[in-house]
Structures are given as structure tokens and as C-alpha cells.
């Protein structure tokens, strides 16, 4: 059974809303009342970006990460820069962007407070942030984040959709209350944090782990605050 065919069964099991549609809803809102074109930042851009679907609405599309991409791996970007979101705030000029997306980065932040403050600084007034991260309130995620460091990388290589996604985990700020509090402390307003079932896709590289992810999603589906993945969005005040 291919991964694509596996995933077609998930909505039938009641595993909704999905991560992609939830992120798209938040980004739709970010672009809805905006000028014709916006400046967008993908903070922790990896290899793919949900912002590519909005490319015609984006005037300047910048990606940052702490890992350099392979040559030609990010054709959708106008530019890529090696920047640590938890690092020097002056690495990016203040008020440079209208929209920032940060996908599955919070669990790697060594200093979430500084990272959230930087993201807010790099956004313009009324700018919007959309981020996704894992939720420590899910028991499987808590176990995953809590295993010894020397076991984390081998476990990631087995569980992740690609071995290239295996990066050191920290998990300081990975529950709904801490994400909300961190964003509000950084000066964001209109903060929304929701959770969605996503283990089955995140762990979908091998069939046994896909099935384990399905079980984890099904067990926590009745408990919204304990679903595996958090989606947060927030706004910079005018």
C-alpha cells in the first residue's frame, strides 16, 4: 500500500481537520485582506513550504534555516539566508515581512522566548505569524521528546517522512498553554492555538510506524488539547 493510498483512509476514520487544511485556512486569512502582494518569510524553511501555494500573492519570498539547502533545492524562494531564529535579532531587518510561516521549528528552539520575540520583530504592524509544532500533551509525542538524546536521532530517522528531517529535539515550549503564553509575552495579539491529528502522516515513512501513528491519532482525537500537532496563528498590533 503506497503512502498516498494510506492517507486517503484517514478522513474516513474521523481524523479531521488535517494539518494542511488548517494551515491553509490560517494563511488564507493572512492573505485575504492584504494588499495585492506581500513580503513573506519561511522561518525554518526546510525543503517545502505551504507558502508556495500563495506565490502569485508574494512580492518577496525569503527562507531562513540553520542548515544550508542543497543547490537548487528551494526554487520557490527569492533568497535563502543562514539565520538562527533563536539568535541575533539584527540578522533580519525589523519590520521586513507581512507574513511569517514557521513549520515544525518550535520543538527545536533552544530559546523559544527569544525566537518568538525575533519573529514579532521581523513582522510589520498587522503582520501575521502562522506556526506548527508537535504537542507534548500527546502521550506518544511526550515519549518521543523524552527519550535519551543518544536515541533521538536513530528514532527520528525511522519515524520521520524523510531522514533529512531528523534534527535535534528540545521541546521546551511544546504544549498549547506555553505556545500561547510565549506568543503573548512576545507582544502578539489575537493568538489562536488549535490541535490536529498528524502522527499518522508524520510517522508515515514505514507501514508499522504509520499504523502506530494512526493508533495515536485515534486515541487522542476525542481530546482536542492532546492531539499530536499544534497550529498557532497570531497578529502584530497596528
Amino acid at each position: 500500500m503506497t503512502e498516498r493510498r494510506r492517507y486517503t483512509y484517514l478522513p474516513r476514520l474521523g481524523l479531521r481537520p488535517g494539518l494542511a487544511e488548517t494551515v491553509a485556512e490560517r494563511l488564507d486569512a493572512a492573505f485575504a485582506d492584504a494588499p495585492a502582494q506581500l513580503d513573506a518569510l519561511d522561518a525554518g524553511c526546510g525543503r517545502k513550504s505551504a507558502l508556495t501555494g500563495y506565490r502569485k500573492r508574494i512580492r518577496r519570498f525569503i527562507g531562513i534555516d540553520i542548515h544550508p539547502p542543497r543547490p537548487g533545492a528551494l526554487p520557490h524562494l527569492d533568497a535563502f539566508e543562514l539565520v538562527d531564529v533563536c539568535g541575533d535579532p539584527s540578522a533580519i531587518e525589523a519590520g521586513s515581512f507581512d507574513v511569517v510561516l514557521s513549520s515544525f521549528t518550535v520543538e527545536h528552539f533552544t530559546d523559544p522566548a527569544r525566537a518568538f520575540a525575533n519573529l514579532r520583530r521581523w513582522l510589520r504592524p498587522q503582520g501575521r505569524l502562522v506556526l506548527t509544532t508537535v504537542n507534548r500533551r500527546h502521550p506518544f509525542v511526550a515519549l518521543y521528546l523524552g527519550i535519551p538524546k543518544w536515541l533521538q536521532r536513530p528514532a527520528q530517522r525511522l519515524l520521520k517522512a524523510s531522514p533529512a528531517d531528523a534534527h535535534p529535539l528540545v521541546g521546551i515550549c511544546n504544549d498549547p498553554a506555553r505556545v500561547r503564553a510565549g506568543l503573548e509575552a512576545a507582544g502578539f495579539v489575537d493568538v489562536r492555538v488549535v490541535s490536529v491529528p498528524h502522527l499518522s502522516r508524520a510517522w508515515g515513512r514505514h507501514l508499522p510506524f504509520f499504523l502506530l501513528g494512526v493508533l495515536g491519532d485515534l486515541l487522542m482525537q476525542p481530546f482536542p488539547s492532546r492531539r499530536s500537532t499544534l497550529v498557532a496563528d497570531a497578529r502584530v498590533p497596528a
Side-chain angles (χ1 to χ4, degrees):
M1 184 189 297
T2 65
E3 288 186 15
R4 182 171 295 181
R5 286 188 62 194
R6 291 176 200 166
Y7 298 151
T8 62
Y9 292 101
L10 299 180
R12 302 179 196 177
L13 295 174
L15 296 178
R16 288 179 178 271
L19 177 65
E21 63 193 276
T22 304
V23 170
E25 179 184 291
R26 300 301 189 262
L27 290 175
D28 285 347
F31 282 87
D33 299 321
Q37 288 193 309
L38 303 180
D39 295 322
L41 173 69
D42 193 331
C45 58
R47 292 167 293 112
K48 298 180 180 178
S49 177
L51 282 166
T52 56
Y54 302 84
R55 192 62 183 91
K56 292 181 179 179
R57 296 287 312 277
I58 297 174
R59 176 175 50 240
R60 185 172 57 109
F61 193 0
I62 307 299
I64 61 172
D65 209 318
I66 60 173
H67 305 285
R70 289 180 288 102
L74 303 172
H76 53 280
L77 295 177
D78 294 319
F80 171 85
E81 299 178 25
L82 281 173
V83 174
D84 184 352
V85 179
C86 299
D88 182 1
S90 67
I92 294 176
E93 185 179 352
S96 295
F97 297 99
D98 304 291
V99 177
V100 171
L101 173 68
S102 191
S103 300
F104 292 104
T105 53
V106 175
E107 63 267 30
H108 305 293
F109 287 166
T110 55
D111 189 346
R114 186 166 192 172
F116 291 153
N118 284 345
L119 293 172
R120 188 213 180 281
R121 182 178 187 273
W122 298 337
L123 278 162
R124 294 175 179 136
Q126 297 282 28
R128 289 183 176 269
L129 169 69
V130 178
L131 66 82
T132 65
T133 190
V134 298
N135 182 11
R136 190 186 280 276
R137 295 206 67 217
H138 189 292
F140 289 10
V141 175
L143 178 65
Y144 181 47
L145 290 174
I147 61 176
K149 299 295 183 185
W150 62 272
L151 277 176
Q152 281 189 356
R153 295 300 289 275
Q156 284 181 302
R157 291 189 183 101
L158 287 172
L159 292 170
K160 290 290 188 176
S162 164
D165 296 327
H167 303 305
L169 296 166
V170 182
I172 297 172
C173 190
N174 283 89
D175 64 58
R178 290 184 184 182
V179 170
R180 175 181 294 278
L183 292 172
E184 290 176 345
F188 285 98
V189 297
D190 298 337
V191 178
R192 295 185 295 175
V193 183
V194 300
S195 67
V196 297
H198 189 63
L199 276 188
S200 48
R201 283 183 175 270
W203 294 0
R205 186 165 169 240
H206 299 294
L207 182 58
F209 297 114
F210 167 77
L211 295 175
L212 182 64
V214 171
L215 175 63
D217 285 336
L218 287 172
L219 287 174
M220 292 300 108
Q221 184 65 0
F223 309 101
S225 69
R226 300 177 74 87
R227 294 172 188 159
S228 70
T229 301
L230 302 176
V231 181
D233 68 304
R235 181 177 58 83
V236 175

